[in-house]
Amino acid sequence: MNKRLNVSTFIGCEAEYDEADIVLFSVPFDGTTSFRPGTRFAGQAIRPDSYGLETYSPYLQKDLEDTAIYDGGDLDMPFGNPEKALEVVSHYSKEVLQDGKKFLMIGGEHLVSLPTIEAAYEKYPNLHVIHLDAHTDLRDEYIGEKLSHATVIRRCHDFLGDGRIFQFGIRSGTKHEFDWAKEHTYLEPFSLTTLKEKIAELKDVPVYITIDFDVLDPSVFPGTGTPEPGGISYKELLEAIQQFQELNQVVAADVVEFSPPYDTTGASTAAACKTVREMLLTLVD
Amino acid sequence: MNKRLNVSTFIGCEAEYDEADIVLFSVPFDGTTSFRPGTRFAGQAIRPDSYGLETYSPYLQKDLEDTAIYDGGDLDMPFGNPEKALEVVSHYSKEVLQDGKKFLMIGGEHLVSLPTIEAAYEKYPNLHVIHLDAHTDLRDEYIGEKLSHATVIRRCHDFLGDGRIFQFGIRSGTKHEFDWAKEHTYLEPFSLTTLKEKIAELKDVPVYITIDFDVLDPSVFPGTGTPEPGGISYKELLEAIQQFQELNQVVAADVVEFSPPYDTTGASTAAACKTVREMLLTLVD
Amino acid sequence: MNKRLNVSTFIGCEAEYDEADIVLFSVPFDGTTSFRPGTRFAGQAIRPDSYGLETYSPYLQKDLEDTAIYDGGDLDMPFGNPEKALEVVSHYSKEVLQDGKKFLMIGGEHLVSLPTIEAAYEKYPNLHVIHLDAHTDLRDEYIGEKLSHATVIRRCHDFLGDGRIFQFGIRSGTKHEFDWAKEHTYLEPFSLTTLKEKIAELKDVPVYITIDFDVLDPSVFPGTGTPEPGGISYKELLEAIQQFQELNQVVAADVVEFSPPYDTTGASTAAACKTVREMLLTLVD
Amino acid sequence: MNKRLNVSTFIGCEAEYDEADIVLFSVPFDGTTSFRPGTRFAGQAIRPDSYGLETYSPYLQKDLEDTAIYDGGDLDMPFGNPEKALEVVSHYSKEVLQDGKKFLMIGGEHLVSLPTIEAAYEKYPNLHVIHLDAHTDLRDEYIGEKLSHATVIRRCHDFLGDGRIFQFGIRSGTKHEFDWAKEHTYLEPFSLTTLKEKIAELKDVPVYITIDFDVLDPSVFPGTGTPEPGGISYKELLEAIQQFQELNQVVAADVVEFSPPYDTTGASTAAACKTVREMLLTLVD
Amino acid sequence: MNKRLNVSTFIGCEAEYDEADIVLFSVPFDGTTSFRPGTRFAGQAIRPDSYGLETYSPYLQKDLEDTAIYDGGDLDMPFGNPEKALEVVSHYSKEVLQDGKKFLMIGGEHLVSLPTIEAAYEKYPNLHVIHLDAHTDLRDEYIGEKLSHATVIRRCHDFLGDGRIFQFGIRSGTKHEFDWAKEHTYLEPFSLTTLKEKIAELKDVPVYITIDFDVLDPSVFPGTGTPEPGGISYKELLEAIQQFQELNQVVAADVVEFSPPYDTTGASTAAACKTVREMLLTLVD
Amino acid sequence: MNKRLNVSTFIGCEAEYDEADIVLFSVPFDGTTSFRPGTRFAGQAIRPDSYGLETYSPYLQKDLEDTAIYDGGDLDMPFGNPEKALEVVSHYSKEVLQDGKKFLMIGGEHLVSLPTIEAAYEKYPNLHVIHLDAHTDLRDEYIGEKLSHATVIRRCHDFLGDGRIFQFGIRSGTKHEFDWAKEHTYLEPFSLTTLKEKIAELKDVPVYITIDFDVLDPSVFPGTGTPEPGGISYKELLEAIQQFQELNQVVAADVVEFSPPYDTTGASTAAACKTVREMLLTLVD
């Protein structure tokens, strides 16, 4: 008889923290979401359904069981106070990096990528960011707020500067955001066609990958806060992930904006689980 | 051919502001919600479905069409900034009261009642509050925050003081909250049995009524953020509203915590609509 | 190996037409529904789920298997033409009565009760109607139409006249409808308290029972076109059905306004199935 | 404090009627729907969720805010009387055209396109129709009715005659309908491959575009009355809309058959909203 | 930084096994379910949502935090082999009892109560069973099978014998089952009226309490495999639990038949969580 | 007046058994399902919704009405006993083949294909199997069980041997399963690219086609037990079916793993219905 307190981790992620090379954690925060909230529940939804998957990826021909991965669960978040929430994430992700581990964060809304990208930048000043999303996220402020899911990449640009951000699949924004991107980021609208050539350029620099699930078409991933039709298919996302294997220094990554209350069929949960598996395997050296 | 821009009001509430005796408005704010968010959509869900009702109440034998009611729609809210959000509500509700009108507010989470009760208190220093809810809402802080849906009635006590708050139907809280209530508020747990006698006491003082929809049993009203089994039936709520007619000075009221994404059948929406109608008619002199 | 074409009947209703004492049929018509359509699917939803029930009723201590009941399924309906649809129902129900059988009809919207009540009246000129509903259904016309789910009982009054219609549970209507009812029907608002005494009066006359499922509270029966909070519980409906056993001449009956697309949990389907069983057993001599 | 009665328009469509170049309106009619009803709710579902979009289209590089668009809301419809309903639509659309404006209509079921196409034909006798749909809609009658969502394009042929109707994406119909189409319309089954060349032919004639949302695959657009697998992707629809920009005389258009009760995730609503934006921008000169 | 592997227990149940007085575990088995499956997911659904509750019960005035409770999570179950599944449960529950602890089991379907009741009987030969349910569960076999959710109480009678089983709230069964009960069990149909007097009789004997959630009305608890209208309210269940406090020897208990896929609003999950809290507190001496 | 007991068949399948060339039947069994159950309801969900289709296929240019097809409905299944369930299917399918007819079976979980493939093999010892699926289904046992939805193709290999099984679209399995497949079956991962050439090889041998609906992407077909992102589109399935027309000896076929409780929009039901129509027409000589 197993007498351990009930543990609930992502499939194949039962290593203890100290022995782990990779850390998985989730951030139940959706405090600046402007349309449909609920991303706070992403971590809770993903873990149990991950057992509908195998630990083996026939795409990458790697197995989660061949690596030591620790799953720390949901971080404890304050409610109604974005600044404090971001501090918690900042503290946690910096500690993981200081301990010489990589991490994959499950959002939460996209704003939670700000402290993790900043933490990675602190450790790797030459950090570059690959950003898959439907939205530019380049506003300078949103309804008067500097910190918002709609400003997160702009806030990252504040410290990263020009030439460091590579955006793909973007299909929504103001005219001003698209114009601003022309001078400050690399932005491919609508698709991922140029991802391969950009990856070749980024082959040997430290890279952080941030995937907003709404880069997928809402037919594939309806369970998100701001569904935007005309996105990529799941096969296209899988091809992108296969291309990521060419990168030699993926230092951390995140997947954000999965909102379980809008996933009435479970198909978004399944897509989220599979993406977590593939991205964990991407972090394996 | 009607050439007016598409107007969407609650049924029977098409008076212009200046001619109105009663103002209806809604507050799309759920920024401190700790469990299931979504109350931001309450106003949008209630208005179109109100046309499934009649304007006439056979319970109160009054008709919405016999009173001038203005429906101002959703207030514009900032995201991720509770203080600013409460200021917007405060400003609006004070202006309505200054213009000599009564109001019914549709939440949003319960925290939005703080500025409206405060506005009513500013005008009516002898204000008393009738509070129907499943939860005490009497914490002094919640996960470190003073402003929260779980502290709202405590915050009202900060300015109202002892002997002004009358709570009914309460069935969830910490032991400390229940103990605190014994000294500072009137609290009937589980039911509304003593409502009638308390109304007799409050007959001639100014009264604000705040109804958290989760006072209803989740069978009746599943579409709420923190469903708590063991609540009252809709018939019991209707009886309470009939008893409210004995109050001579209901100066304002609100109905809060309706979260449409969890109302998969529309039954909660119907209950919310009917409650809005009955509470509007309660405000009629 | 059973080689019969796939038959789908209500549980325990597999008698052939000629040998049957009771006929069950359903009418997939919702052409005048003003709010949420979908009652056309009621018959299809009820039949398979009836196998979640037993054939035996511990309330009435009768068993469907002890009576010969034929289930004719959905009638073929034209679309977009209420007059023709009513003719089909009229023709079918008259033929059943002429063949010396009783029937239970599953709606469809309430308008489909007009031809069946008329058919019963044609055979039993002294017909009385017991009507359980949330709505008066007594308008003379609805948005210009004489034939509507909102006018059906008024249309029945056109041929039945005063003193023949007994309405219970009513909690929605215009003020004019409630006033009209005072002179032309017996109407108990909100509840079924007086049903027992009225049944005593109707003990020996021919009675048609029409049950609009929205007489039930939306907590019990959300799957309906116009949910109206404040209705009766399922136990109260079961008590009413037990009282119906005192009637010596129930000649036909119907249950209407079940809209499966709004029954996301299946609870309304279960309630509809059980009501069909109890009403079929009510028709047994 | 804004004191205007609550207005609810599609995003970026707040011009007054008189100053507007384009009129948006919706028709809550689904009276002849043969399978899953609910398109009556399309207009109500689209307007609030349109605020999840931007007003700017990166595909067409146009912005709704650069044009004066009036949103008249839902037309008032009778229930259960298709002829009267069509008259209301006919009257409204003719008046808009007489006032020198273009319009985009949101259905409702496809039958509502009959009066609007007729209105456009009355003003532009050389009218041609581009029709995107899963179904031929070419029956001469449907279960005895001449006016039906399944006959609407055949009824348009009654007055337009041969050579005027161009159908794409069609993948359902009787053998007779497909045979009939060979002689009387242009019909490309399954896809939109030849749309580009047909648009080149229609470049300078007056064109009405009618889009039945079920031309999209049900994975993309499940919220429709008769989902038909094997349809086009949303990207293919966006490409078609980009090709429409080559047409010099798009005089009016519609999007029909969106049934919100079957859109449990909101993805169909998002697709409907985006299509409305793109089609409004298509009407801009 | 917390470095423990992600633990997921019921709220307030974080004691280690050895120090615990009470053990909570769940059994993801629904292999003989005849109608709507899904009870296998009950444990996974209950644990995270329990955090929407408080640990304090104002009904019992006890707090989970005042007792040492261990939550062992879901047992590992084989698929498609009921005998093996029951063995796993048997082994686990016997070990817990041998270790001098009490347990609360969360089903799964009702058949999983057979090995736990048997384990309790083995330790307490004078065991009596209180059974709240909509169904008799007294068939001798069901479609040829001796082991089934429909035979479970009959199987318990095989070893307990007459006079030991007390059934309440029963409202569905064959005529034969109701007749059999008259001779072998105590059975109150429809309600819990006599529970209080029976508890007085059982005050000092060892008692096992098995609660099938379908004893509740489907309005309260739609998320179950075989919803049966006409059940008790949640307030009535709370009263029953308060009466259980009079029992001096509750040795173990279970709550079964919660099927999350049919709980589209979360209201059944909330009711299940609250029942687990109250039953855990019932096990506290 | 039609006086036949209510018959419910798939559209266009009303031939009597003796005159039929093709037999359609369904198997309500999901007893070994490891993740999300519910495939037992597939047959009940498909039949009524098939009337949303036409009997004519514009892809194959054939019509169901031109062939005699008998629909036998759901087979009667025991609960909780996989061996007995498979015997029922075995007996039925052998009898159909002995009577000189072909069949299409609707699952149920994939394990139900074992007895039907065995029955086909008994009659056609040179049988080859075309298998479309997301999962290899090649485990030798699953959690200790030899008979499971996860072992079904391995069990078929037990009697068919090497070189007879052709698997397409596979994207999930253990590393060991993929390795095993290299030696014993033909397996194309992820897509159907080589289907055409394999069909050319199998042109004149007896072929059984088994389609697990989860070969489709979850965007197309969420209503399945184990959704696996990255699958084929519905257009790709339609192309595969068109290629099947090149086979001269399709002796039987099945479509399995449709779980209606997870099809909240009806889109999976529509896809299942269309696939049944196309596969029935594939069986026509």
Side-chain angles (χ1 to χ4, degrees), chain B residues 6 48-49, chain C residues 35 37 262, chain D residues 8-10 24-30 37-50 71 73-75 105-110 112 211 213 221 223-225 254-263 268-273 276:
Chain B
N6 186 43
D49 274 25
Chain C
F35 189 28
Y262 294 94
Chain D
S8 170
T9 71
F10 194 83
L24 178 69
F25 66 98
S26 45
V27 178
F29 177 79
D30 54 12
T39 61
R40 66 183 69 181
F41 297 120
Q44 279 180 8
I46 283 172
R47 285 182 179 85
D49 273 25
S50 69
D71 182 353
D74 269 359
L75 303 193
M105 173 178 66
I106 299 169
E109 58 157 86
H110 211 158
V112 298
I211 299 177
F213 279 118
F221 206 91
T224 192
D254 65 56
V255 293
V256 298
E257 295 287 355
F258 167 36
S259 179
Y262 294 95
D263 181 32
S268 308
T269 309
C273 288
V276 167

Side-chain angles (χ1 to χ4, degrees), chain D residues 235-276:
Chain D
K235 280 198 175 176
E236 289 176 289
L237 180 59
L238 284 168
E239 283 160 25
I241 292 172
Q242 282 180 299
Q243 290 166 4
F244 293 159
Q245 312 311 309
E246 300 304 311
L247 295 165
N248 290 320
Q249 270 203 77
V250 181
V251 299
D254 65 56
V255 293
V256 298
E257 295 287 355
F258 167 36
S259 179
Y262 294 95
D263 181 32
T264 59
T265 64
S268 308
T269 309
C273 288
K274 190 160 181 168
T275 309
V276 167

Side-chain angles (χ1 to χ4, degrees), chain A residues 27-31 75-91 111-112 115, chain B residues 145:
Chain A
V27 179
F29 177 78
D30 54 12
L75 303 193
D76 286 333
M77 286 283 116
F79 296 106
N81 192 324
E83 284 79 7
K84 274 198 210 168
L86 298 189
E87 269 169 46
V88 172
V89 179
S90 176
H91 185 78
L111 182 57
V112 300
Chain B
E145 297 297 315

Side-chain angles (χ1 to χ4, degrees), chain D residues 36 139 219 228-230 264, chain F residues 54 59 219 235 264-265 271 274:
Chain D
R36 312 192 313 179
R139 289 172 196 251
S219 58
E228 181 74 32
T264 59
Chain F
E54 303 285 348
Y59 303 92
S219 58
K235 279 198 175 175
T264 59
T265 63
K274 190 159 179 171

